[in-house]
Amino acid sequence: MRLSNTSQYAINIMVAIAEHKETKLLNAKSISDTFDIPYKYLTRIMPQLVEAKFIISTRGREGGYSLAKEASSISIINILNAVNDSLHASKCILKPGMCDANNKCALHDSWMVPNKSIKIMFNQTTLESITNL
Amino acid sequence: MRLSNTSQYAINIMVAIAEHKETKLLNAKSISDTFDIPYKYLTRIMPQLVEAKFIISTRGREGGYSLAKEASSISIINILNAVNDSLHASKCILKPGMCDANNKCALHDSWMVPNKSIKIMFNQTTLESITNL
DNA sequence: ATTAAATACTACTTTAATGTAGAATTAAAA
DNA sequence: TTTTAATTCTACATTAAAGTAGTATTTAAT
C-alpha cells in the first residue's frame, strides 16, 4: 500500500516550488538536494509538471521553476494524475480491473471505507493547505 | 496507491481456502485457475502461507491445502505480513523512512486520516468477515 | 511396485520502475 | 562574443517484482 517514488517526488517538488518565495527562481539542483531526489531522475519529472501547466520553467542561466497558478487550485490528485498514467483510484484492490456489482472481489466492500477516505484526502488537499505560506 | 500483486494473490488464495468446504482438499491448480494467478508463481507463495501457519499443506496425490486455524483468527494484516517483508504501514507516505514529530513530510497530517482507516480495515477484517461461510 | 498427481525447492528470465549519462538547447552574465 | 548555468531530450543501465522452468519429493491409487 504505497505511492510510487515518482509520485512522492512530484508532490515534494510541487511543495518546494509553492513554498519558494525568493526572487531568484528555484532550480532543479536545489530541489534535488533538499529531498534527496536523484538529479537526473528529477529532471525527467520536471517537464511533466510543466506540461501539466502546474509550473513554468525558465531555461538558461538564472533559470528555474515557479508556480504557474494558485497553490489553492492544485490538489494532490492533480499532481498524481500528472505523473502517473492513472492513480488506480477507481480500480479494485484485489484484481487488475474494476469490480462490478455482481462479481465483487473479497475485499470490495471493506475497501470502500478507507478508499473513500483516501480519495477525499487526495482531492481536497491542495498545495495551499499543506505549505507554509 | 496499490497493493502488490503478491499481496493481492495471497488474500485471494486465503479466501479460496477458507471458503472451500468439500471433503477433497483444494489444490494449487484450482486456485490458480479461479483467480488467474500464474501457477508457478502461486506455488511459490503457498509455502509462505504454510510457514505462517495459516494453512496446512498435504503433499502427494489427492493433496492440497486447508485452513490451519479459525477463519475468524486470520486478519488481512496477518496475510500481508506473511508475504511482504513489511507493509510499509508505519512508514511515511512521502519519504523512505518515518516522519518524526519535528520534521514532518508535507502530507504527514493529511495522510493520518485515511491511513488510520486503512489500518483499521486491515486489522479488523478477518477471513471470516469476508467469506461466505 | 509402478504410476499419477500433488507440493516444494532452486535457478533462471522477463518486465516495469527507477536511476544514470551525455549531448543539445537556452539565455543571462562576464 | 564567449562562458556559464540552467532546462530538455534521448538513450542506456540497474534493480526489484513478477513470472517461468525443471527437477525433486511425497503419497494415494492402480
Side-chain angles (χ1 to χ4, degrees):
Chain A
M1 189 72 352
R2 67 182 282 274
L3 228 45
S4 70
N5 287 6
T6 304
S7 293
Q8 295 183 35
Y9 294 162
I11 295 169
N12 281 319
I13 290 165
M14 289 304 301
V15 169
I17 296 172
E19 286 186 337
H20 185 75
K21 289 296 171 206
E22 298 169 32
T23 45
K24 273 190 69 177
L25 289 170
L26 186 62
N27 63 36
K29 182 68 169 46
S30 308
I31 304 174
S32 163
D33 289 344
T34 306
F35 295 106
D36 280 313
I37 303 173
Y39 176 76
K40 280 296 198 176
Y41 195 66
L42 179 137
T43 62
R44 289 198 317 171
I45 298 173
M46 301 312 297
Q48 301 178 56
L49 300 172
V50 173
E51 166 73 16
K53 302 271 176 62
F54 296 151
I55 58 179
I56 293 166
S57 81
T58 305
R59 296 179 67 160
R61 190 164 175 166
E62 305 284 290
Y65 303 93
S66 59
L67 270 196
K69 53 169 79 169
E70 293 278 325
S72 60
S73 73
I74 303 173
S75 60
I76 302 300
I77 192 77
N78 299 143
I79 301 172
L80 296 177
N81 286 333
V83 293
N84 281 304
D85 302 3
S86 82
L87 177 61
H88 306 274
S90 60
K91 298 202 180 131
C92 178
I93 193 174
L94 288 189
K95 5 186 242 194
M98 273 192 3
C99 287
D100 54 57
N102 303 19
N103 182 21
K104 293 179 185 173
C105 75
L107 276 184
H108 190 81
D109 295 334
S110 304
W111 178 239
M112 287 184 96
V113 180
N115 192 34
K116 184 167 188 174
S117 180
I118 292 169
K119 280 184 181 172
I120 290 173
M121 191 279 271
F122 283 158
N123 275 285
Q124 294 188 347
T125 306
T126 67
L127 277 186
E128 184 184 43
S129 69
I130 59 175
T131 50
N132 310 315
L133 298 174
Chain B
M1 188 73 350
R2 67 183 281 274
L3 229 43
S4 69
N5 286 6
T6 305
S7 293
Q8 295 183 35
Y9 293 162
I11 295 169
N12 280 320
I13 290 164
M14 289 304 302
V15 169
I17 296 172
E19 286 186 338
H20 185 74
K21 289 296 171 205
E22 298 169 32
T23 45
K24 272 189 73 177
L25 289 170
L26 185 62
N27 64 35
K29 183 67 168 50
S30 309
I31 304 173
S32 163
D33 288 345
T34 306
F35 296 105
D36 280 313
I37 303 173
Y39 176 76
K40 281 296 200 175
Y41 195 66
L42 179 136
T43 62
R44 289 197 316 170
I45 297 173
M46 302 311 297
Q48 303 178 55
L49 299 172
V50 172
E51 166 73 15
K53 302 272 176 56
F54 295 152
I55 58 179
I56 293 165
S57 82
T58 305
R59 296 178 67 161
R61 190 164 175 161
E62 305 285 289
Y65 303 93
S66 59
L67 269 197
K69 53 169 79 169
E70 292 277 324
S72 60
S73 72
I74 303 173
S75 60
I76 302 299
I77 192 75
N78 299 140
I79 300 171
L80 296 177
N81 286 333
V83 293
N84 281 303
D85 303 1
S86 82
L87 177 60
H88 306 275
S90 61
K91 298 202 181 132
C92 178
I93 195 177
L94 288 189
K95 5 186 242 192
M98 273 191 3
C99 286
D100 53 58
N102 303 18
N103 184 20
K104 293 178 184 172
C105 75
L107 277 183
H108 190 82
D109 295 334
S110 305
W111 177 240
M112 287 185 95
V113 179
N115 193 35
K116 182 166 190 176
S117 179
I118 293 169
K119 281 184 181 172
I120 289 173
M121 191 279 270
F122 283 157
N123 275 285
Q124 294 187 348
T125 306
T126 67
L127 277 187
E128 185 185 41
S129 68
I130 60 173
T131 50
N132 310 316
L133 297 172

